[in-house]
Amino acid sequence: MSNELKNGHPAPPSTNFLRGIIEADLVSGTYADRSDSQGQPLPQVVTRFPPEPNGYLHIGHAKSICLNFGLARDYAGRCHLRFDDTNPEKEDQEYVDTIIDSVKWLGFDWNKDGQTHLYYASNYFDVMYAGAQSLIKSGLAYVDEQNAEQMRESRGTLTEPGKDSPWRNRPADESLRLFEEMRDGKHADGTLILRARIDMASPNMNLRDPAIYRIRHATHHNTGDKWCVYPMYSYAHPIEDALENISHSICTLEFEDQRPLYDWVLERLSDAGFFKKPLPHQYEFARLNLTYIITSKRKLKQLVDEKIVSGWDDPRMPTIVGLRRRGYTPEAIRLMCDRTGASKNNSWIDYSILEGALRDDLDPKAPRAVAVLRPLKLIIDNFPEGQSIDCSAPVYPPAHPQHDSEHRHFPITRELWIEREDFMEVPTKGYFRLFPGNKVRLRYGYVVECTGCDKDENGNIIAVHCSYFEDSKSGTEGSSNYKVKGNLHWVSAEHALAAEVRLYDRLFSDPHPDAGGKDFLQALNPNSKEVITAYLEPTLKSAKPGDIYQFERHGYFVADRIDSTDGKPVFNRAVTLKDSWGK
Ligand code: ATP
Ligand code: MG
């Protein structure tokens, strides 16, 4: 895939430091000669995408998916899809299903060499529990009886060390017994907690005896009521990685301070015989921040709950299901992710990079069609009433292999629809479309000369008149005798397909809708959706839900996959032909 940016956007850095790390590991053989528990050889690069099934995936997740699956693909490795479902309250099967669909739709696959690498962290609860028991026995974990507030108070600050809990040195036997009681449901939520015994004076706050297991009397979507103790993310995640033989565990920068704890857990459990070396290693990259969108699950949910959008798959949502419904292709999303690379520094990526990727993907492949969005009647006075003449145009753009072979056909008749903006009674300077006395070509049809217009009693223009030149038809010899500047699209009024078209635009008009604690609801773009009835080329009657076209001069439009019915497509504007923002 090319990294060159069209549409006049400056190319963002497309470096990917993770490749450098992987290549160095391949050279030094860090993960060579490994085998799994069945003795099967393991690839040297094993990555994972670990979503928590508590919401819909968004464009930020796509970045992580493309990185993890992309690196595995490029280095003959494999990537696991792992549901990080260690938090019983917020997780749901609905989310598991949509995440599976979205990853597949993006074009990635967790099957490799006949094996399916789809995992649930909750299937590892037994190992996590046994690991915790083992840490307790070695004096590396203890059951604390302080409440959340006391723990917070004794944690210290960045400049002051923390204070030991009164329970820090309790005998291992006692902690072991209490931990079992926690598991057996003998204690209420929040009354006891298992903490790693590391260093209350560590300059890294994450190492000041972090909590690793807590009590939650809650039903889990996968394990039901089997457990009432659940591991904390920072304890569970390294174990999940090690059990799956992950080599490169890639996450976002917020987890950088957690890496020492990640390593601590793995080192201690490997000393105890739980895991073999080499152990997985965590690497952090800067999360994708796109202007004009928000990616907080909580805020996206608010947009849905308050009916500001029609649902998670509203075409203005930055969710994968929303982008898909909007007309985004997996190729475009992957292209955007490739072009923006992976970096160690947080920065903003302009939304136009995403739109540019969609245009670049669709331009060479989207079939062309004609749509009149803001219709005005054009009457060809010297065209015989009741007659229609067949016109044709290539379905595909010149770059497409089927450009010459496939043609679409549509009739020209005496009355047509043209765009309102293609006529001016009194032309402004440089205007070369229709005005009285001017000639233009009706694309794929004839050259016409404008003769005037009709107005209603309020002076509004309701129809334009012209006459056509019979020998000027596109594709015939005579056509070259006419030199005109304007080239207008049109549809036959009698044959046009009247269809609902939704003109979508950015949901927010502020490039940083929720930055600095701003109320993102104040930043909504009031013009993010306009619904019109447009007149479409009759061939579009056969458009199937999900089909994407370039409507000539207007942009890319997709037949809505939910609301289109047989013979009656509804179209969504995915993106205009040119970027009109920030100009
Ligand atoms: P939560 O607050 O619920 O944890 P999350 O966005 O981190 O939200 P996860 O399901 O934990 O959701 O994310 C799965 C993976 O996607 C994680 O590895 C996370 O780092 C990554 N990810 C999430 N948002 C982005 C982003 N904007 N850019 C890159 N990666 C992201
Ligand atoms: Mg997360």
Side-chain angles (χ1 to χ4, degrees), residues 192-211:
L192 297 178
I193 196 149
L194 185 69
R195 296 177 75 176
R197 195 166 182 279
I198 308 181
D199 179 3
M200 286 307 290
S202 172
N204 184 336
M205 302 285 279
N206 295 295
L207 295 181
R208 294 186 185 173
D209 292 10

Side-chain angles (χ1 to χ4, degrees), residues 239-277:
I239 297 178
E240 296 158 23
D241 284 347
L243 285 172
E244 292 178 19
N245 298 297
I246 302 300
S247 56
H248 301 81
S249 176
I250 300 164
C251 63
T252 42
L253 277 179
E254 316 85 271
F255 294 97
E256 197 166 14
D257 289 348
Q258 300 261 11
R259 193 184 339 123
L261 179 54
Y262 182 99
D263 292 337
W264 185 92
V265 170
L266 290 184
E267 288 288 343
R268 296 305 168 279
L269 291 179
S270 108
D271 290 347
F274 279 80
F275 308 122
K276 279 193 300 202
K277 291 193 171 165

